[in-house]
Amino acid sequence: MRAVLLDADGVLQLIGTPWDEALTRGGGPAFARAMIDGETDALAGRETLTDLLERVVKELGLELSASELLEMWHRATPDPLARQLVGDLREAGYTTVLATNQQWERRAWMREQLDYDGLCDIDGYSCTLGVAKPDAAYFRRLLELAGVEADQALFVDDSATNIAAAREVGLRTIHHPADAGGELLRCEVVQALTQAASPPRG
């Protein structure tokens, strides 16, 4: 095992209220559905989150502006224990990859406000790669950047859909419970890496 790919929301940072619930609270059920259904291009960097919000506001006739709604994406609490794990993995010689779906605006916010630059060896923001999880091309691109084969990489995410997609590509995976914290994350990762390094019995 040579590389560890780590999701951000729910894994390296605590998100609190799940996205669908937060969007429903902030703009209503129709707003939440429209954003989730229409976010593919924004996550892949083909349009900005602001443009998507402006379009949805217009289509739904919402009173809130796109700039007001954008504040919903400015939320997350970095997990210091998870960040320490990343540092320990790098020190141990593993290539660490930030494997996260983000729009241009939230990528900028995470870099500027949450100090993500330099945390991992490789930043795999979906908007910069032009493809997002769970597309198989996303995982293949990260493997290419890390210079490893699928069976040499461990992927950690809180989304069952993303985990299933990564397994189809051949990655080893950990389905981490959302916001479970860095202490559990360390136990999961150490156990997975130890098992991968152990010779098969019999």
Side-chain angles (χ1 to χ4, degrees):
M1 194 65 62
R2 294 172 50 199
V4 181
L5 287 56
L6 296 146
D7 179 41
D9 291 323
V11 178
L12 292 180
Q13 60 191 26
L14 309 179
I15 199 64
T17 306
W19 279 110
D20 55 350
E21 184 178 338
L23 294 176
T24 300
R25 288 182 185 177
F31 171 73
R33 287 194 300 272
M35 292 303 299
I36 293 171
D37 291 345
E39 70 178 351
T40 300
D41 282 347
L43 290 177
R46 292 187 290 270
E47 76 169 340
T48 66
L49 177 56
T50 300
D51 286 343
L52 172 58
L53 284 168
E54 289 177 345
R55 186 169 69 252
V56 171
V57 165
K58 183 177 181 180
E59 290 174 352
L60 299 180
L62 299 179
E63 294 183 4
L64 292 172
S65 67
S67 59
E68 291 172 321
L69 290 166
L70 183 60
E71 290 301 312
M72 282 190 281
W73 277 263
H74 295 168
R75 64 184 188 99
T77 303
D79 186 333
L81 293 179
R83 285 174 171 249
Q84 181 59 52
L85 172 62
V86 175
D88 292 345
L89 288 169
R90 295 181 71 175
E91 187 174 336
Y94 294 98
T95 299
T96 57
V97 182
L98 178 62
T100 183
N101 280 354
Q102 301 296 342
Q103 310 88 351
W104 289 112
E105 291 90 337
R106 194 147 188 272
R107 170 182 178 267
W109 179 78
M110 287 171 59
R111 296 177 68 199
E112 295 164 9
Q113 300 300 320
L114 303 186
D115 198 26
Y116 266 90
D117 280 3
L119 175 64
C120 295
D121 296 296
I122 297 169
D123 288 339
Y125 294 100
S126 59
C127 60
T128 66
L129 299 180
V131 64
K133 298 178 287 187
D135 194 315
Y138 175 84
F139 299 105
R140 294 193 183 103
R141 179 61 176 142
L142 290 188
L143 293 171
E144 179 184 347
L145 290 171
V148 299
E149 300 297 326
D151 61 358
Q152 297 174 316
L154 174 66
F155 171 64
V156 187
D157 202 293
D158 63 331
S159 163
T161 299
N162 293 340
I163 289 294
R167 286 176 179 166
E168 285 293 320
V169 175
L171 283 81
R172 295 175 184 262
T173 62
I174 295 173
H175 187 191
H176 179 75
D179 282 5
E183 186 174 350
L184 176 60
L185 179 64
R186 178 179 291 275
C187 291
E188 294 169 331
V189 170
V190 169
Q191 181 179 21
L193 294 176
T194 300
Q195 290 176 345
S198 300
R201 294 182 178 179

